[in-house]
Amino acid sequence: MNTELFTITDKNRDTPAARAAVQRAGNILRAGGLVAFPTETVYGLGGDALNPESSRRIYAAKGRPSDNPLIVHICRWEDLAPIVREIPETAEKLGKAFWPGPLTMILEKSDRVPGETTGGLSTVAVRMPSDQTAISLIREAGGYVAAPSANASGRPSPTLAKYVEEDLGGKIEMILDGGQACIGLESTIVDLTEAVPTILRPGYITKEMLSKVLGEVETDRAILPEGSDIAPKAPGMKYRHYAPKAELTIIAGEEEAVVRRINELAMEAERRGYRSGVIATNATLGRYRATLIKSAGDRAEGAETARELYRILREFDEAEVDVIWSESFADDGIGQAVMNRLLKAAGHRVEKV
Ligand code: TXA
Ligand code: MG
């Protein structure tokens, strides 16, 4: 299959050519086809959420297990009611505070949403993204776009269109290129079907931000460091996601000790003929000796690390690095999401020094 690629930026957004491209993309979705598109978190692989055949195609294109439910993307608040059994007060409050934006809510689904889209669950994940191109596409597609991250299953989520092309080129009808995703990590998922709203996946919208609006909020114990042997409530969180091909280990501790230990390990690996990689920060970048060294930004700037993390993991793959060591990052605010993804990429391998 030939995959059409079209770039939409703020400069050309209002031109007839860009409008026609989004319209074409919408028609592809209405006809049961697949279109990858930018969102503020990561690129999504879109299909018609109300068409079971489209959801099957999404799973096939990604190579994703079909018990892993998809997020339904909407572009207007009034489109929520038809796909859920009821709208609890908690959802109204969160919608007002954070939509459009990087927040996904889990609600009881209505009969309009096929089981293929929800991986057989009686609940549905819903998100209203803020990206302009995403919003226009959802509108053109008829209002309901199922979209997992647009990576091949097991690969880091794409933050650039070129990574979508690498993973899904030839398997889907179209890719809309909107440049680099500005957040870089997937949306926060909050389950509103429980007595106490529960975070199933941390993201840009933090627990503190949710608590300000809702009061008491819990975090699924399975996604906390001490709960790595419990089954998570978001089926997708159980897979070893976001994985680079190389073996990744996090080295945690005081900066001096971390730099010394990583250099020791990298030198040993190189001596044995392996290509080593290091995920550093701006402050430590010049202090490492390895085949490939990348900065994840300023240690104090969690947002920058969030934006760059998946790109860095993919660049290590491109450079065919065998082993990677990463510094550990502050886990407050967005840092919680950063560390959650980094720990998963590392298969929870952490060495404390
Ligand atoms: O930022 C995002 O959320 C991106 C963009 C494209 O919107 N999408 C995304 O989708 O990350 P995906 O499919 O890669 O991750 C969806 C996660 C999975 O872990 C899945 O198991 C969980 O959401 N999920 C979906 N529906 C659910 C449900 N009804 N109950 C519990 N977890 C659910
Ligand atoms: Mg994903």
Side-chain angles (χ1 to χ4, degrees):
M1 179 187 302
N2 179 39
T3 302
E4 181 190 349
L5 185 71
F6 193 94
T7 303
I8 300 183
T9 61
D10 284 337
K11 273 202 188 121
N12 75 347
R13 186 179 306 287
D14 293 321
T15 61
R19 284 214 208 102
V22 175
Q23 225 164 47
R24 215 156 48 243
N27 289 336
I28 290 170
L29 295 179
R30 285 174 191 265
L34 304 183
V35 176
F37 60 98
T39 84
E40 68 277 25
T41 56
V42 297
Y43 277 77
L45 171 58
D48 178 353
L50 307 186
N51 178 351
E53 194 47 49
S54 298
S55 294
R56 276 189 219 112
R57 272 203 63 196
I58 290 178
Y59 290 118
K62 280 185 61 106
R64 169 170 175 148
S66 59
D67 67 344
N68 188 359
L70 308 174
I71 296 176
V72 179
H73 295 66
I74 59 174
C75 63
R76 301 181 311 181
W77 177 259
E78 24 329 352
D79 292 335
L80 178 60
I83 57 168
V84 298
R85 213 165 65 198
E86 54 168 1
I87 300 181
E89 207 190 323
T90 47
E92 282 194 26
K93 286 183 178 165
L94 291 182
K96 277 209 186 86
F98 301 114
W99 275 4
L103 179 73
T104 297
M105 304 188 215
I106 308 286
L107 297 161
E108 298 292 343
K109 81 175 189 72
S110 77
D111 292 340
R112 295 218 25 210
V113 187
E116 281 80 357
T117 300
T118 63
L121 297 178
S122 62
T123 54
V124 61
V126 191
R127 171 162 114 81
M128 190 192 296
S130 63
D131 182 275
Q132 280 304 313
T133 302
I135 293 278
S136 312
L137 175 65
I138 297 164
R139 196 184 305 122
E140 289 293 338
Y144 300 102
V145 175
S149 49
N151 51 285
S153 194
R155 306 274 294 131
S157 296
T159 51
L160 291 166
K162 70 168 181 176
Y163 296 139
V164 178
E165 212 178 352
E166 264 175 39
D167 284 12
L168 301 174
K171 294 184 178 160
I172 63 178
E173 278 80 358
M174 191 172 183
I175 300 173
L176 295 175
D177 181 350
Q180 184 173 13
C182 63
I183 292 177
L185 296 180
E186 306 85 346
S187 61
T188 305
I189 301 180
V190 58
D191 186 351
L192 299 178
T193 67
E194 304 270 340
V196 179
T198 305
I199 296 173
L200 306 189
R201 179 174 75 182
Y204 180 84
I205 307 290
T206 61
K207 187 173 187 181
E208 293 66 35
M209 290 158 82
L210 295 171
S211 298
K212 270 197 190 134
V213 176
L214 295 182
E216 194 187 354
V217 173
E218 279 176 3
T219 303
D220 183 8
R221 277 188 48 233
I223 62 169
L224 296 172
E226 66 271 19
S228 58
D229 48 354
I230 310 171
K233 288 183 186 143
M237 296 295 279
K238 72 175 178 257
Y239 300 104
R240 180 175 170 254
H241 254 177
Y242 322 117
K245 288 174 194 147
E247 185 181 281
L248 168 66
T249 306
I250 300 167
I251 308 294
E254 292 294 329
E255 187 172 292
E256 282 308 310
V258 167
V259 171
R260 202 180 320 121
R261 179 66 180 145
I262 290 181
N263 273 331
E264 202 175 278
L265 289 163
M267 236 145 65
E268 172 65 14
E270 296 276 336
R271 204 179 49 75
R272 290 165 49 198
Y274 294 112
R275 291 160 65 80
S276 63
V278 179
I279 303 178
T281 52
N282 290 344
T284 55
L285 188 64
R287 302 180 57 198
Y288 289 109
R289 296 280 168 277
T291 302
L292 192 63
I293 306 153
K294 300 252 167 206
S295 171
D298 254 349
R299 181 177 298 283
E301 277 295 320
E304 198 182 343
T305 310
R307 206 159 43 232
E308 302 301 336
L309 181 65
Y310 287 152
R311 184 178 58 79
I312 290 175
L313 293 179
R314 282 187 180 252
E315 284 173 355
F316 280 117
D317 280 352
E318 281 162 27
E320 298 188 337
V321 159
D322 303 299
V323 267
I324 308 170
W325 290 281
S326 177
E327 295 184 17
S328 160
F329 300 92
D331 67 350
D332 53 340
I334 179 87
Q336 274 175 27
V338 169
M339 283 311 292
N340 169 264
R341 306 309 195 276
L342 190 62
L343 277 161
K344 280 177 74 101
H348 288 268
R349 267 185 308 274
V350 183
E351 183 185 321
K352 297 212 166 72
V353 292

